[in-house]
Amino acid sequence: KAGVTQTPRYLIKTRGQQVTLSCSPISGHRSVSWYQQTPGQGLQFLFEYFSETQRNKGNFPGRFSGRQFSNSRSEMNVSTLELGDSALYLCASGSDRTNTEAFFGQGTRLTVV
Amino acid sequence: AQRVTQPEKLLSVFKGAPVELKCNYSYSGSPELFWYVQYSRQRLQLLLRHISRESIKGFTADLNKGETSFHLKKPFAQEEDSAMYYCALLTYNQGGKLIFGQGTELSVKP
């Protein structure tokens, strides 16, 4: 079974721009979660989708949004990028409604300059 | 408040020595706790979860509700155990959400 795939692996954007990151979960998994990882804040939960519905949202500004498609693939979007958005963005997929095991992708490294 | 604390940023031991990575949590409900590991240049992956009470790669972790702890232990560390270790608490609000500690880097010296 292929693992969780995130694209692109690396991105460099300018302040004020917007960015879209993509995540393909493990085949059959219907839950997709997104996390931001930074040296200062560690791993922080962004949001979680299950069957195209956002079930859970972390404490991030509205500039961070996401969606999930009928094939369970998910995208997250960050608008009006700030320098502080530079981070590794991780996607995790889960097979059940309660996410008792999360399978992580390699992440997308976003650098905002 | 829901929180996971890993007090040590770096833990350095010699090969063959015992290892204990500390994790404390704060959660009002019934906790479900995990240890995730990230080896160099690899993705974050599940090491073990408290409900399965299993030993993976020689590691064990016992949930102590009285002390609100879930420390990870291994009696004899190996060099290949060198990695970042994250303790995580699963919370529920319709869906599951993992709250991670800051992580502990384990360095096992030869």
Side-chain angles (χ1 to χ4, degrees):
Chain A
K1 243 184 189 179
V4 177
T5 304
Q6 292 188 246
T7 56
R9 292 291 310 279
Y10 303 93
L11 265 179
I12 299 176
K13 289 286 188 178
T14 305
R15 265 182 306 175
Q17 286 186 311
Q18 75 160 15
V19 68
T20 299
L21 313 182
S22 180
C23 172
S24 293
I26 291 172
S27 178
H29 285 190
R30 294 162 66 189
S31 167
V32 173
S33 301
W34 290 89
Y35 293 83
Q36 182 196 63
Q37 186 175 28
T38 59
Q41 301 296 319
L43 279 151
Q44 292 188 287
F45 173 80
L46 280 153
F47 26 65
E48 187 244 352
Y49 289 86
F50 184 87
S51 294
E52 300 179 69
T53 301
Q54 186 183 87
R55 294 196 297 185
N56 229 326
K57 192 176 191 314
N59 296 324
F60 279 81
R63 300 184 296 106
F64 291 81
S65 62
R67 58 179 176 168
Q68 187 180 32
F69 302 96
S70 57
N71 62 358
S72 294
R73 190 177 71 84
S74 177
E75 288 180 347
M76 69 162 274
N77 184 275
V78 188
S79 62
T80 321
L81 283 165
E82 300 176 1
L83 295 179
D85 297 333
S86 295
L88 181 67
Y89 290 88
L90 293 174
C91 164
S93 77
S95 60
D96 58 28
R97 297 187 67 86
T98 55
N99 294 337
T100 49
E101 179 172 355
F103 294 84
F104 283 85
Q106 294 274 46
T108 293
R109 171 76 61 186
L110 172 65
T111 302
V112 182
V113 298
Chain B
Q2 302 160 351
R3 190 182 302 122
V4 175
T5 305
Q6 293 179 249
E8 304 132 331
K9 287 187 77 170
L10 173 64
L11 186 62
S12 186
V13 302
F14 285 102
K15 178 181 169 182
V19 167
E20 183 179 48
L21 288 85
K22 291 184 169 29
C23 172
N24 288 90
Y25 67 91
S26 172
Y27 186 52
S28 56
S30 184
E32 195 164 342
L33 288 148
F34 303 80
W35 277 98
Y36 279 82
V37 61
Q38 188 167 31
Y39 300 102
S40 179
R41 285 188 285 278
Q42 293 188 29
R43 64 187 67 197
L44 195 60
Q45 58 187 283
L46 178 67
L47 179 62
L48 53 79
R49 68 190 90 182
H50 92 271
I51 55 172
S52 55
R53 301 183 64 82
E54 57 197 344
S55 172
I56 303 290
K57 298 185 179 184
F59 284 98
T60 59
D62 289 316
L63 176 61
N64 185 323
K65 291 187 179 180
E67 295 183 359
T68 59
S69 68
F70 187 56
H71 303 327
L72 183 68
K73 299 177 185 178
K74 185 169 183 177
F76 308 103
Q78 303 299 314
E79 288 179 69
E80 56 265 30
D81 296 329
S82 295
M84 278 294 294
Y85 291 81
Y86 294 93
C87 183
L89 168 70
L90 183 63
T91 66
Y92 293 98
N93 177 12
Q94 298 184 352
K97 159 183 154 181
L98 286 169
I99 297 174
F100 285 91
Q102 290 284 72
T104 298
E105 181 182 353
L106 174 64
S107 174
V108 182
K109 300 184 189 313

